[in-house]
Amino acid sequence: MIHWLFFFLSVCLPLFLSAQAKTSDDALITHTNLLRASQGLKALTPNKNLTDMASAYAAQMGQENFFSHYHPTDASLKNPGMRAKLSGYDFGFIAENIALYESKTELDLDSLALIFYKIWENSPKHKKNMLSLKAQEIGCGIYKIKRDKFYVYYGVQNFGTQKSQITLSKSGSK
């Protein structure tokens, strides 16, 4: 029974869910939620503000040719918390994963989503964000730019919990 369950969770379910994913953002969320499910954790809910924030920051890193959690020149976008506030996300918890990948060939977005997911899954600090018990919502963004002979891809995952949700869970747990 356990072998069939493992087969279903590791082979069948990912194939079904990736077929359901509409964008690379959806695919990243699907992979992340499968990882969480394998650990007995609740799935993260996609959040438009976190997605917009991730997409904008991935594009900004690509267009301005930098790679960091901390924006090098724009003080209003200095860190993930400041970017969350600017995007309208009133957070009680915020975390961010970023990744950069270069390729001589152009990649389809589903392949790229899997590459970014694997980069983060194999990094203890990034995996910790993906499995955070504090996170309730997620937003992802990928940006592609061509530089010389390479395609350069930037990926961002934002994890958050809105301040109102933390207040509700604290008041409800007396």
Side-chain angles (χ1 to χ4, degrees):
M1 172 71 172
I2 291 176
H3 296 292
W4 283 106
L5 182 60
F6 176 78
F7 177 76
F8 176 76
L9 287 175
S10 63
V11 177
C12 299
L13 189 58
L15 288 174
F16 171 76
L17 290 175
S18 64
Q20 305 304 308
K22 296 176 188 75
T23 66
S24 58
D25 304 350
D26 293 337
L28 275 172
I29 292 169
T30 298
H31 291 305
T32 301
N33 279 334
L34 284 170
L35 174 65
R36 291 177 65 86
S38 76
Q39 302 297 309
L41 300 175
K42 183 180 170 190
L44 299 172
T45 304
N47 177 280
K48 184 179 177 349
N49 288 23
L50 290 177
T51 298
D52 290 348
M53 175 182 148
S55 297
Y57 197 60
Q60 194 163 33
M61 285 191 294
Q63 292 165 3
E64 297 178 22
N65 197 18
F66 73 94
F67 180 69
S68 174
H69 290 283
Y70 305 98
H71 194 284
T73 58
D74 190 338
S76 69
L77 301 172
K78 191 70 178 167
N79 61 52
M82 294 172 90
R83 291 190 293 275
K85 286 180 184 176
L86 281 175
S87 75
Y89 192 80
D90 189 24
F91 69 93
F93 169 78
I94 195 75
E96 177 181 74
N97 286 346
I98 62 172
L100 180 142
Y101 187 78
E102 293 182 349
S103 175
K104 287 187 177 183
T105 59
E106 189 170 11
L107 300 172
D108 66 89
L109 292 177
D110 286 337
S111 298
L112 194 58
L114 184 59
I115 288 168
F116 282 139
Y117 166 77
K118 287 294 185 184
I119 289 170
W120 292 322
E121 180 189 35
N122 292 316
S123 162
K125 289 181 180 181
H126 294 99
K127 187 174 183 179
K128 181 180 175 186
N129 284 342
M130 292 165 54
L131 296 174
S132 175
L133 295 174
K134 295 178 183 177
Q136 293 181 5
E137 297 175 313
I138 186 171
C140 302
I142 293 177
Y143 182 78
K144 171 184 77 172
I145 191 165
K146 182 120 189 242
R147 288 204 184 101
D148 299 319
K149 297 179 182 178
F150 290 94
Y151 291 92
V152 183
Y153 301 92
Y154 293 82
V156 177
Q157 273 187 319
N158 289 315
F159 305 92
T161 299
Q162 295 181 50
K163 200 179 287 186
S164 61
Q165 292 301 103
I166 291 176
T167 304
L168 285 176
S169 62
K170 284 183 180 176
S171 65
S173 62
K174 291 182 179 178

